[in-house]
Amino acid sequence: MNQLKRLQAITKQLRDPIKGCSWDSKQTFDSLKSYTLEETYEVLDAIDRKDMDELKKELGDLLFQIVFYADLASDQGEFNFDDICSSVADKLVSRHPHVFADKTAEKPNWEQLKQKERDQRAQYSLLDDIPNAIPALMKAEKIQKRCASVGFDWVELKPVIDKVKEELCEVEEELNKTTQDQSKIEEELGDLFFATVNLARHLKVKSELCLQNANNKFIRRFKQVEALLKHKKDNLADATLEEMEDAWQIVKQSEQLSSEVNKND
């Protein structure tokens, strides 16, 4: 039996209100959102860990989410799994005319092709269909790319960097006020984040992955700090900030030295 058909049959049986699973039969589009997000991050985690066996399993879990959504939609008369496949196949062919149509055609501008599709859907704004649910850093990058596609963007890097400095100064100005307004501080920090994402975009760096890498680096180093101080303190909270900072510098210098050795090998 085709394994996709098998998965679809299992999903339908799970969702059966009489013979199926009581939990699965109660799920809706809205109730599944958090699980879909969780499964997506577990796929990314398996990729980061280069665990191919785990990646196979996590991709299966994510595929189950898609099959589940398709079965829900089919019951409501909206669309089915074949419609999903047809939609993405049509889109890929449309966006790659240099591959599937005129082989001599130049590679098209991706954003311009997507904008043409948005125009055909009678969108009123360039930014109308950017999802609200995606991570904020990713959303900021999408907004900026859309605006850049119509020329609303700096060509040189210097004004991009200057904007980051400007936004940082505005955060400091809010902090230096006698009476601080928390909402204004949050607003200025948001502007600083947005400007920093723009700098990353101009440097061809994905902000979401960049910050994830920074998170992972911090976790790795802090675990080593814990290991260093474990021999001196029964409880890490008993260590002073100076002791933790000294341990942090030892870990950092050790990593930098190891990196230099690997470069020279």
Side-chain angles (χ1 to χ4, degrees), residues 83-108:
D83 294 328
I84 294 173
C85 294
S86 177
S87 174
V88 69
D90 289 345
K91 180 167 65 176
L92 289 170
V93 170
S94 172
R95 290 184 180 178
H96 296 81
H98 59 298
V99 176
F100 298 104
D102 184 359
K103 302 290 184 180
T104 64
E106 291 185 6
K107 187 176 180 180

Side-chain angles (χ1 to χ4, degrees), residues 184-196:
K184 283 296 295 180
I185 292 172
E186 183 177 323
E187 179 183 337
E188 296 301 345
L189 276 172
D191 291 343
L192 176 59
F193 291 155
F194 193 85
T196 305

Side-chain angles (χ1 to χ4, degrees), residues 105-161:
E106 291 185 6
K107 187 176 180 180
N109 181 289
W110 190 259
E111 280 299 325
Q112 288 179 354
L113 276 176
K114 288 192 286 187
Q115 181 56 36
K116 183 178 179 181
E117 292 172 5
R118 287 190 287 270
D119 291 342
Q120 291 172 347
R121 294 199 299 267
Q123 296 287 343
Y124 293 101
S125 168
L126 192 69
L127 308 178
D128 273 349
D129 63 343
I130 295 178
N132 283 322
I134 61 175
L137 293 178
M138 192 181 298
K139 184 174 182 179
E141 184 178 317
K142 280 185 172 290
I143 292 169
Q144 293 164 4
K145 285 177 67 177
R146 291 276 181 91
C147 293
S149 71
V150 293
F152 191 61
D153 192 19
W154 282 300
V155 177
E156 303 295 331
L157 188 61
K158 186 179 183 304
V160 179
I161 295 174

Side-chain angles (χ1 to χ4, degrees), residues 165-202:
K165 293 177 180 178
E166 175 190 324
E167 297 298 350
L168 178 58
C169 287
E170 291 182 5
V171 171
E172 291 176 334
E173 287 175 10
E174 287 299 324
L175 294 176
N176 290 331
K177 289 181 178 178
T178 305
T179 303
Q180 292 183 354
D181 184 336
Q182 190 62 30
S183 64
K184 283 296 295 180
I185 292 172
E186 183 177 323
E187 179 183 337
E188 296 301 345
L189 276 172
D191 291 343
L192 176 59
F193 291 155
F194 193 85
T196 305
V197 170
N198 198 35
L199 173 60
R201 182 178 63 84
H202 275 265

Side-chain angles (χ1 to χ4, degrees), residues 223-236:
K223 285 181 177 179
Q224 293 178 70
V225 168
E226 289 176 312
L228 283 174
L229 293 177
K230 182 173 63 176
H231 305 294
K232 301 179 181 179
K233 305 287 182 180
D234 293 331
N235 189 331
L236 184 63

Side-chain angles (χ1 to χ4, degrees), residues 11-54:
T11 303
K12 185 165 287 295
Q13 185 172 342
L14 285 171
R15 293 192 58 247
D16 189 293
I18 299 173
K19 299 179 181 180
C21 169
S22 59
W23 187 89
D24 288 280
S25 63
K26 293 177 182 176
Q27 298 311 304
T28 66
F29 287 104
D30 287 333
S31 69
L32 286 173
K33 288 194 301 184
S34 62
Y35 299 105
T36 305
L37 187 61
E38 180 181 339
E39 297 300 348
T40 301
Y41 281 120
E42 288 178 358
V43 166
L44 298 179
D45 182 62
I47 293 172
D48 287 343
R49 291 186 285 108
K50 296 179 172 55
D51 188 334
M52 291 297 109
D53 186 58
E54 192 64 22

Side-chain angles (χ1 to χ4, degrees), residues 2 17 56 73 101 104-105 127 151 201 219 222 240 248 261:
N2 178 287
K56 175 186 67 180
T104 64
L127 308 178
R201 182 178 63 84
I219 290 170
F222 191 79
T240 65
W248 181 272
V261 170

